[in-house]
Amino acid sequence: MDSDEGPQLRRGDNPLYAVLLVAWMLFSVSLFALVLRGAWEDIRSEFHADAEADIELVRDRLRTNDALLSGFAAFLDVLGAPTQEQIAGFASRLLGEHPHIYMLEVVEKVPARARDSFEQALAERAGPGARIGSFNYQDGRRWQAVAEKAAYFPVSFLWPATPESLPVLGLDLDSVPHLRDALIRAEASRGAVSTRPFALIEGPLAYVVMKRTDTAHSVLRPAGADQRYALLVVKADAMVPDRRNARTAHVLRMLGETGPQDPPLYAMLATQPASAVERRTLPKFTLNVEDFSTSQPVRLTVTRQLRFSDIRSEPLLLAIGLAVGTLAVLVLYLSRHRAAVARDRDHLQRATHGALHDPLTGLPNRRLFYDRVEQASAHWRRTGEGFALFFVDLDRFKEVNDRYGHEVGDAVLRTVAERMRGSMRETDTVARIAGDEFVVLLPGVTEHAAAEPVAAKLLAAVAQPVESRDGLVLQLTASLGVSVCPEHGIEPEELIRHADMAMYDDKRAGGAGSHGTPPRPLAKAPRLRVIRKLARGTGGSVMPGGRKKASRGRGHGTG
């Protein structure tokens, strides 16, 4: 019951440290977020500028395609029935000036009655066996015969006429689903339309832009021909921008009625890709730009992953320096604050201990003892479990101070107090309330008879010889009084007063025991025995009864 309650004061330290650490973390995160945001804004501005430049390049080529197709259709309309040489000359000059155009073609509407004459003229140009046919672009990519129908829409002219492209002559667009869809739209709109991307017979990915042009006579002059279509074949790789950022990815898709069409015209990944850590921790920019201003509606998707190397080193180093500097200041402050708190806590503990304990012996003082007795009384009221009190007074202790000085008396008190505390249980309280007066609280001891052996043990501990620093050995006895709660009272003053009266009765009786005080084992022993030892380093021994045998000096008996 003599434990110190001071360590409970440490519970309030950690919240301050946690708050300061969280504040530093928020400051550091905000600082790096500010730096990252600056880099993010710079890269975003550069990214948007590059993306706008790319889409503008695409727009220029799309407008050029429309203009070339309109020029080609106008050429066919103006001449009415141009010769193969005239069309070839015009197409050659057109492709020479615009190399991104892969091929120019002309498609005729050929009625069924004119099929034979058209195929005959076609064979003269493309070789024996040339006829109107269909090409399967999906399953097997092979030529197929065309079933009989009211009209056909074969390719009647193409440029450049290479060995790889000549088989396209006679291809019936009406027999190919994606080309037939474009024919229908061109017929309905009378304007330029485009197909979805597809792989050409020759292999490369491309799309076709076509426009209807009416004339009274066809190129091959079949009877009854009244419709003709001018076609531009644009290879997908011709739309790839000439310049682009190596850290930027581009995807260009044609737009149909249901949205973006696959396959894309091109999909280019960044040639300097970001790492997995950068992809997980840093933002990515994505920009979708759509253009519906031409006959070839497209969507350009540009993405760029922010990388650590995009962050400028100057603000980053400044942020790191500020974060490390503030952390150092915070650590220094916390260490000093912790030291100050420890000093304050130590001072408080010492002050608290000094207010509740005897400065000489370290035992609880009167104030703390009364508090313990009040707690024991409250416990008795709740549970009915009583307790006992001892009042202990050292016999003839005043003679020790008078004959040998207060230094020896203080040493005797410290030794006796330590022995008294050592002879009691941990739950008992031994206190010093005046010079040589001690009191003991024994919780759970509810009867006088149970207190007798404890009292005998305590008196025996007090009666052990006490040696001072100068070789003086003293043997003291003590008088003891007992009170029991609730037999002798329940209030601290009442119980201590009864034990004090019992102690004085015991002292007057010479230790024989009175007023309920148990008799001491050595009732006839002297109240104070003084044995003077030889000085350290000399021979001699202590004689029985207090005398000693030596070549010089005398022993002293009972004081």
Side-chain angles (χ1 to χ4, degrees):
M1 295 181 66
D2 297 336
S3 62
D4 193 354
E5 298 179 358
Q8 296 178 357
L9 299 173
R10 301 178 182 177
R11 295 176 183 174
D13 295 347
N14 291 333
L16 174 62
Y17 302 152
V19 168
L20 291 176
L21 180 60
V22 170
W24 175 82
M25 292 177 63
L26 291 176
F27 169 77
S28 300
V29 170
S30 301
L31 195 62
F32 283 103
L34 187 62
V35 173
L36 185 60
R37 182 176 179 81
W40 186 80
E41 290 294 341
D42 293 342
I43 298 301
R44 186 176 66 172
S45 299
E46 177 188 347
F47 169 76
H48 277 267
D50 290 344
E52 288 295 335
D54 291 340
I55 193 63
E56 190 60 35
L57 176 63
V58 172
R59 288 193 185 105
D60 289 342
R61 291 182 178 176
L62 296 177
R63 295 189 190 101
T64 301
N65 294 343
D66 278 354
L68 295 178
L69 181 61
S70 297
F72 187 35
F75 169 78
L76 296 177
D77 280 339
V78 169
L79 294 186
T83 64
Q84 294 287 323
E85 291 74 13
Q86 289 175 325
I87 299 177
F90 179 84
S92 177
R93 290 192 298 271
L94 199 65
L95 295 183
E97 296 173 359
H98 303 283
H100 72 281
I101 302 300
Y102 177 63
M103 186 174 293
L104 292 177
E105 296 178 356
V106 177
V107 172
E108 302 282 350
K109 180 179 180 181
V110 180
R113 63 180 182 275
R115 176 177 179 177
D116 291 339
S117 61
F118 178 84
E119 289 181 343
Q120 182 179 359
L122 187 64
E124 294 176 359
R125 295 181 47 225
R131 57 182 300 176
I132 297 175
S134 176
F135 188 80
N136 187 337
Y137 283 89
Q138 303 298 328
D139 185 14
R141 295 182 62 81
R142 61 184 181 277
W143 285 95
Q144 298 174 342
V146 178
E148 293 185 1
K149 52 186 177 178
Y152 306 89
F153 293 83
V155 176
S156 60
F157 171 84
L158 57 82
W159 188 267
T162 63
E164 293 80 11
S165 63
L166 280 178
V168 178
L169 287 174
L171 174 65
D172 180 28
L173 272 61
D174 187 52
S175 301
V176 180
H178 64 274
L179 298 176
R180 180 173 61 247
D181 175 71
L183 280 172
I184 295 172
R185 289 187 286 115
E187 178 68 22
S189 66
R190 297 299 181 97
V193 298
S194 59
T195 67
R196 65 172 178 81
F198 64 96
L200 297 172
I201 295 175
E202 303 92 311
L205 184 68
Y207 69 94
V208 173
V209 188
M210 66 177 65
K211 183 177 181 181
R212 176 178 171 177
T213 172
D214 295 334
T215 183
H217 305 284
S218 70
V219 174
L220 300 178
R221 299 191 176 122
D226 59 354
Q227 292 180 16
R228 184 169 52 191
Y229 298 85
L231 279 67
L232 260 66
V233 180
V234 183
K235 287 179 63 176
D237 56 12
M239 305 301 295
V240 176
D242 298 330
R243 61 166 189 86
R244 66 185 185 93
N245 194 310
R247 301 179 181 181
T248 304
H250 296 70
V251 178
L252 182 66
R253 282 186 169 90
M254 301 290 292
L255 292 175
E257 295 180 355
T258 60
Q261 297 176 333
D262 284 322
L265 290 175
Y266 63 79
M268 299 182 298
L269 300 177
T271 57
Q272 297 180 5
S275 66
V277 175
E278 291 170 330
R279 289 194 298 271
R280 291 191 182 98
T281 58
L282 297 180
K284 180 173 70 173
F285 308 111
T286 300
L287 181 63
N288 290 307
V289 184
E290 296 181 349
D291 187 279
F292 294 92
S293 62
T294 67
S295 61
Q296 310 137 79
V298 294
R299 172 188 289 176
L300 177 64
T301 301
V302 187
T303 58
R304 176 169 175 177
Q305 173 66 55
L306 189 64
R307 307 197 309 173
F308 292 119
S309 58
D310 294 326
I311 303 174
R312 291 183 299 169
S313 59
E314 295 83 358
L316 181 61
L317 292 176
L318 179 60
I320 294 174
L322 287 175
V324 173
T326 52
L327 179 61
V329 172
L330 180 61
V331 170
L332 179 61
Y333 167 76
L334 291 180
S335 63
R336 292 188 176 182
H337 178 269
R338 189 174 184 85
V341 169
R343 288 194 301 270
D344 293 343
R345 184 187 298 117
D346 184 60
H347 293 162
L348 180 60
Q349 290 176 351
R350 290 183 182 181
T352 303
H353 188 275
L356 300 177
H357 292 78
D358 173 46
L360 177 63
T361 61
L363 296 177
N365 59 13
R366 180 186 296 270
R367 179 180 177 184
L368 181 55
F369 184 77
Y370 270 68
D371 180 70
R372 298 280 173 83
V373 176
E374 289 177 354
Q375 293 179 20
S377 297
H379 182 71
W380 169 78
R381 293 187 184 95
R382 293 193 304 272
T383 64
E385 183 181 24
F387 58 92
L389 287 181
F390 291 166
F391 196 103
V392 183
D393 182 79
L394 299 182
D395 297 331
R396 300 178 64 180
F397 180 73
K398 185 175 182 301
E399 296 181 16
V400 176
N401 282 332
D402 294 343
R403 293 177 60 179
Y404 304 107
H406 288 282
E407 183 178 354
V408 174
D410 291 347
V412 170
L413 287 175
R414 284 192 293 268
T415 302
V416 170
E418 184 176 353
R419 290 175 179 175
M420 291 176 65
R421 182 163 51 187
S423 66
M424 295 292 100
R425 301 171 302 178
E426 292 185 358
T427 56
D428 300 335
T429 299
V430 180
R432 181 190 179 205
I433 59 174
D436 60 344
E437 295 178 347
F438 298 86
V439 285
V440 183
L441 171 64
L442 296 93
V445 179
T446 58
E447 297 180 356
H448 194 282
E452 292 181 0
V454 182
K457 181 180 179 182
L458 178 65
L459 293 175
V462 174
Q464 296 295 320
V466 179
E467 181 179 358
S468 66
R469 289 181 300 176
D470 58 356
L472 180 67
V473 179
L474 304 175
Q475 186 177 14
L476 295 87
T477 55
S479 299
L480 185 146
V482 181
S483 63
V484 179
C485 173
E487 180 182 349
H488 302 124
I490 59 175
E491 298 298 330
E493 295 83 357
E494 187 179 6
L495 292 169
I496 292 176
R497 183 169 58 253
H498 184 277
D500 187 20
M501 294 172 59
M503 182 275 297
Y504 275 109
D505 290 344
D506 179 49
K507 189 180 289 289
R508 285 193 296 271
S514 60
H515 288 276
T517 304
R520 280 176 276 165
L522 300 175
K524 296 183 180 180
R527 296 292 183 90
L528 175 64
R529 175 186 296 176
V530 181
I531 304 172
R532 187 180 300 279
K533 281 189 173 182
L534 292 178
R536 298 176 185 269
T538 62
S541 60
V542 179
M543 297 294 293
R547 292 187 180 90
K548 64 179 180 178
K549 183 178 179 180
S551 57
R552 294 190 299 271
R554 285 190 311 171
H556 292 268
T558 302

